[in-house]
């Protein structure tokens, strides 16, 4: 390309460099422009008041949630992360494919070593054939509890949404809050072998809302005009919980999930698994007044303790009397364990065939996998006391009986790129070591797969090969809806169901026409889900449960995707400032 003409402009407080390539302008009659959107994240301690106390948290640019990133499809993002916090950290751009930019993906020890305190790293990547609601978060320990923010990718200039243009767009980030130092708590839980600590609150755009102590004035408020339609970009940024979300007296029309357009689906309740995003159209079609929005846990596991509190925000119509003087209408949320409601919602969504960035289901499968996902146990190291269930063991988790451990000396991606042996093996099993009645709850105790060996066993894939994975939840320790997230790709969800996957009958139920496309799926509790994706992006791609409590105990694996045949399908070398271990 010839040297681009550069235009500087200030847009919403950000510096935007507009590159209009004169060469491309000559070739194509249409205006081709792509911007470079540049941000600096200063990550450091921040003191905030929440739930009656002062807390020191780790935050970006002194904000909770952190800064929002706004760009268009085709833009290049450059984010300078200055780590002025006391912790090692990385940032992940959740849902962004990182086509040929795996070095910018961010999971700790998977694509990079962490940024040490006092150091910086610049994440640089292009948004290719993706638009919608994404988010960013720290991918080290539990820091993402307070280190996260929205990424909004709008269609290219001249392109539009496949639905009527909304009057306003509103990011809704659902979060989770602990009264205490989240890193210390996570380390303690790991050492003791217990599950994650129960949180103290959920939040909407950082605010807990008026059901919590000292939080009357710490509530998210959305002002609306009667008759107007709003695009709510909803993200479940909670750390250890799937959530129900509802607005009093209003229906919502789902138009996208995980930044993939869907057929419009009308509903009054959403279930958002941890890591998922849902875009809905909300029309302010009710009498002038105030209406609560609320979120609380969808807790699928029987007998497991969880944070049963509710976060609320308020929608206030223009012209309504002050919402504090009249009690807003309250939405009635489903019961915590309302799996039928969650399942109905999750299985009713279908892709918008022929819409922007839609891709058909690949019909030829190269790599078939049947993967058990769920909890396990680990032996207590001698001279320590573990308090996990049962006492004398540590809580663990696995995929196909492999409990994933990240490397400690070099990231997987560096080991792959520089051909360093001994960091990982490519023998992740395509099926569990034994077959059993996976979802039978009476299968517990000294059962198959109760103890899962630790390992860094991953799957090697040829460039452009198609993977089909059946994810089968087990009842070991306890069945639970695990939000499984794949980096680097979106996948088609061909089918979901309860009990044990039966290839003879369930294969016939595959939707090969318009299945929803996602990057995160809540695998039905005591059930299964089948996904398919094309490995067209060279690099190392993490796949894991998006509950932070389950990631460090092993509910994860990774794919290493080889380079393609051409320079355009080959991963470039790492940037010079890639953090060293
Ligand atoms: Cu949002 Cu690897 O995760």
């Amino acid at each position: 390309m010839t040297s681009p003409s550069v235009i500087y402009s200030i847009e919403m407080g950000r510096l935007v460099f507009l590159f209009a390539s004169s060469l491309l302008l000559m070739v194509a009659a249409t205006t081709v422009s792509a911007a470079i959107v540049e941000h600096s994240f200063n990550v450091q301690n921040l003191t905030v008041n929440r739930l009656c106390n002062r807390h020191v948290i780790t935050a970006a640019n002194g904000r909770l949630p952190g800064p929002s990133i706004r760009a268009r499809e085709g833009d290049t993002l450059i984010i300078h992360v200055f780590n002025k916090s006391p912790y090692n950290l990385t940032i992940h751009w959740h849902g962004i494919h990182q086509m040929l930019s795996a070095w910018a993906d961010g999971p700790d020890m998977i694509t990079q070593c962490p940024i040490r305190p006092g150091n910086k790293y610049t994440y640089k990547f292009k948004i290719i054939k993706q638009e919608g609601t994404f988010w960013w978060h720290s991918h080290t320990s539990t820091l993402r509890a307070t280190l996260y923010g929205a990424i909004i990718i709008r269609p290219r200039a001249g392109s539009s949404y496949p639905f009527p243009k909304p009057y306003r767009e509103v990011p809704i980030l659902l979060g989770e809050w602990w009264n205490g130092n989240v890193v210390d708590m996570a380390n303690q839980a790991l050492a003791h072998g217990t599950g994650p600590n129960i949180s103290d609150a959920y939040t909407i755009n950082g605010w807990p809302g008026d059901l919590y102590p000292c939080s009357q004035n710490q509530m998210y408020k959305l002002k609306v005009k009667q008759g107007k339609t709003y695009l709510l970009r909803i993200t479940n940024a909670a750390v250890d919980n799937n959530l129900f979300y509802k607005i009093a007296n209003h229906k919502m029309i789902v138009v996208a999930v995980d930044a993939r357009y869907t057929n419009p689906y009308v509903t009054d309740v959403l279930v958002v698994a941890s890591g998922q995003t849902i875009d809905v159209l909300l029309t302010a079609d009710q009498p002038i007044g105030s209406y609560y929005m609320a979120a609380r846990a969808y807790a699928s596991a029987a007998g497991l303790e969880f944070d049963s509190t509710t976060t609320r925000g308020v929608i206030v119509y223009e012209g309504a009397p002050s919402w504090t003087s009249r009690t807003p209408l309250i939405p009635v949320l489903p019961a915590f364990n309302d799996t039928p409601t969650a399942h109905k919602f999750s299985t009713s969504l279908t892709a918008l065939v022929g819409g922007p960035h839609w891709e058909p289901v690949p019909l030829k499968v190269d790599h078939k996998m049947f993967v058990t996902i769920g909890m396990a146990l680990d032996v207590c190291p001698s001279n320590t006391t573990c308090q996990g269930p049962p006492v004398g063991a540590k809580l663990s988790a696995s995929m196909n009986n492999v409990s994933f451990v990240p490397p400690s000396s070099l990231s997987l991606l560096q080991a792959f790129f520089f051909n360093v042996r001994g960091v990982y093996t490519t023998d992740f099993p395509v099926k569990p070591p034994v077959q059993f009645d996976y979802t039978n709850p009476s299968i517990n105790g000294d059962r198959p797969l109760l103890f899962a060996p630790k390992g860094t066993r991953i799957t090697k894939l040829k460039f452009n090969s198609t993977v089909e994975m059946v994810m089968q939840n087990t009842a070991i320790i306890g069945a639970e809806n695990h939000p499984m997230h794949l980096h680097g790709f979106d996948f088609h969800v061909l089918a979901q169901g309860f009990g044990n996957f039966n290839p003879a009958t369930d294969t016939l139920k595959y939707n090969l026409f318009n299945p929803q496309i996602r990057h995160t799926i809540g695998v039905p509790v005591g059930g299964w889900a089948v996904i398919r994706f094309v490995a067209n992006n060279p690099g190392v791609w993490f796949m894991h449960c998006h509950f932070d409590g389950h990631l460090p105990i092993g509910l994860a694996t990774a794919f290493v995707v080889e380079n393609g045949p051409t320079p355009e399908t080959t991963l470039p070398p790492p940037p010079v400032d890639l953090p060293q271990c």
Side-chain angles (χ1 to χ4, degrees), residues 92 94 135 137 139 485 487 544 546:
H92 167 55
H94 184 114
W135 59 299
H137 63 78
H139 215 301
H485 171 51
H487 289 225
H544 62 91
H546 213 269

Side-chain angles (χ1 to χ4, degrees), residues 150-192:
I151 303 177
I152 290 160
I153 308 294
R154 289 164 54 232
R156 279 173 190 273
S159 305
S160 52
Y161 299 126
F163 46 82
K165 193 177 186 302
Y167 175 67
R168 290 266 189 283
E169 302 186 9
V170 185
I172 302 275
L173 287 152
L174 306 174
E176 191 166 1
W177 172 266
W178 280 262
N179 291 325
N181 181 305
V182 288
V183 174
D184 293 349
M185 283 191 289
N187 288 342
Q188 236 182 41
L190 280 179
H192 291 156

Side-chain angles (χ1 to χ4, degrees), residues 92-95 105-108 110 135-139 144 236 274-276 485-487 519-520 542-546 548 551:
H92 167 55
W93 320 93
H94 184 114
D105 193 39
D108 187 20
I110 308 301
W135 59 299
W136 60 267
H137 63 78
S138 166
H139 215 301
R144 76 173 176 88
N236 182 349
S274 173
Q276 292 182 332
H485 171 51
L486 176 63
H487 289 225
H519 52 58
T520 307
F542 209 18
M543 182 181 200
H544 62 91
C545 176
H546 213 269
D548 261 24
L551 175 51

